[in-house]
Amino acid sequence: MGKQGFDQRYPTMFQPGGEEWPMPEPVIAGSVPPEPLPQVSPPSVLAIAAAGNVAGNENVDDEPRSELVAVATVEQIMPWGSRVWLAGGAMALLSLAAAVFCFVAVTLIPSAREWNMNGESSIAANPWGYPIFPGAAAFLTASVGMLAAMLLLGSWQLGSRWLRAGAAMVGLVALAGGMVGFFGGTFWPEMFYGSYQTDPSNVPFQWPMLLQSIGSPLSTLGLMILSVVVIVRPDGVREGRASGKKALSVALILVAAALWAWFCPTLFPEQSLNTPITVDGNEFWAMPWTGSMTQAGGPLAMVAAGVLMWAALLLASSTSARDTASQDEDIYDEDEA
């Protein structure tokens, strides 16, 4: 019992004189603004990793934990170090050395060019230096591709425009090497149509065979490198950002260039006639530049098809991402309503 005989066990209206006591006004819904909920940010990957490393050890102080976070941050931000450049450079040099060996084996190693007789059958065994000669173009292309890959990945990891420019330069050199291979017969007809070999024991360097074999692989690689340089740009956050619209534009340009290369003899009929040349007293018909240009149509079309497929994937993925974002916004609006 309190003042005026107030009993805490019963409501005010049932107390003596309760009808004269002030009554609290009822709370109208919406009159009192709700308290904002605390915003909880999701934990980062590094924080989860650091917490996982020290989980279960309650006696670990804050200093070791901060060191773990710092180490994890350094490993995540700076993964592209000197070890990567050394490993990639070593593999590129190894592939280049294999290409040089396949090219010079027939000329410098006597056993690579000797035709050995197989006993009583009198069948000449093929020298081992000639079958491995195509490996020169293959390993050379792989070496150039490795160099370009290091520069491209480094530019995306570090956001460096200089590395991207270096990759573009490698692509231009590869494309120029492929064009030299296609037009070797036009530029140096004496080397292509001259005496192949006069002494079986003295084999000269097979420059015509090398030029004929590097045309397609080097030009294809050069076009691929330049396409990637144009389509993907470094954004400085350890990855490259590819553009579907740029990929589509590059594909259309490559398709147009391939069609032009294929129809060069039709577009330039007067320059498509074979011209006679005389080399070492022998007359040959040299291939015109339009005929050499048609060989570049294959690499152009192949890279164009690959870039076009890439553009389709990029555009489809970007469209699906926008649709997913719009659906999420609609669901959020419905929840608010």
Side-chain angles (χ1 to χ4, degrees):
M1 290 292 181
K3 187 177 181 180
Q4 298 180 358
F6 185 84
D7 192 349
Q8 299 290 341
R9 295 175 298 174
Y10 301 101
T12 305
M13 61 181 299
F14 297 108
Q15 304 294 330
E19 62 276 4
E20 299 178 358
W21 292 6
M23 298 291 294
E25 297 182 0
V27 179
I28 302 175
S31 61
V32 180
E35 297 182 359
L37 297 177
Q39 297 181 357
V40 180
S41 59
S44 62
V45 176
L46 296 178
I48 295 175
N53 291 332
V54 299
N57 188 1
E58 299 178 357
N59 297 325
V60 179
D61 54 0
D62 294 335
E63 185 176 357
R65 183 176 302 179
S66 62
E67 292 179 357
L68 290 174
V69 174
V71 172
T73 305
V74 172
E75 291 179 356
Q76 292 291 332
I77 296 177
M78 301 181 61
W80 200 263
S82 59
R83 183 175 59 181
V84 179
W85 293 107
L86 291 176
M91 296 303 299
L93 291 177
L94 182 61
S95 182
L96 181 61
V100 173
F101 176 77
C102 293
F103 175 62
V104 303
V106 176
T107 303
L108 301 182
I109 302 176
S111 62
R113 58 176 179 265
E114 292 179 355
W115 297 82
N116 298 323
M117 306 303 292
N118 291 333
E120 298 178 356
S121 62
S122 300
I123 299 177
N126 191 20
W128 61 268
Y130 290 99
I132 68 172
F133 190 85
F139 287 117
L140 177 61
T141 305
S143 178
V144 177
M146 185 64 182
L147 178 60
M150 287 192 302
L151 294 174
L152 284 173
L153 293 176
S155 67
W156 301 340
Q157 292 283 336
L158 305 176
S160 174
R161 297 183 181 273
W162 291 103
L163 294 178
R164 186 188 181 200
M169 185 62 63
V170 173
L172 290 175
V173 171
L175 181 59
M179 292 296 105
V180 169
F182 287 142
F183 289 91
T186 304
F187 295 155
W188 304 286
E190 296 81 6
M191 181 178 64
F192 271 76
Y193 300 103
S195 298
Y196 174 72
Q197 184 176 349
T198 58
D199 187 1
S201 62
N202 184 15
V203 180
F205 288 108
Q206 305 299 306
W207 292 108
M209 294 179 59
L210 180 64
L211 291 178
Q212 290 176 353
S213 61
I214 66 174
S216 293
L218 278 185
S219 58
T220 302
L221 177 64
L223 291 172
M224 291 174 59
I225 295 171
L226 294 176
S227 299
V228 173
V229 169
V230 173
I231 296 171
V232 183
R233 61 179 180 83
D235 55 4
V237 291
R238 299 180 58 248
E239 63 181 6
R241 187 181 300 276
S243 173
K245 294 182 179 179
K246 286 185 179 180
L248 183 60
S249 301
V250 171
L252 295 177
I253 293 174
L254 291 176
V255 168
L259 294 175
W260 182 84
W262 282 332
F263 288 96
C264 260
T266 305
L267 297 175
F268 307 97
E270 297 181 356
Q271 303 180 20
S272 301
L273 301 176
N274 293 330
T275 56
I277 60 173
T278 302
V279 179
D280 296 335
N282 300 319
E283 186 175 353
F284 300 93
W285 293 91
M287 181 182 296
W289 70 268
T290 54
S292 301
M293 194 65 204
T294 56
Q295 303 178 45
L300 285 168
M302 181 168 55
V303 178
V307 174
L308 184 60
M309 296 177 187
W310 188 17
L313 292 177
L314 291 174
L315 293 175
S317 61
S318 62
T319 302
S320 62
R322 287 196 297 268
D323 294 342
T324 304
S326 61
Q327 293 177 1
D328 294 340
E329 292 179 358
D330 295 339
I331 295 175
Y332 181 75
D333 295 339
E334 291 178 359
D335 294 340
E336 287 185 347

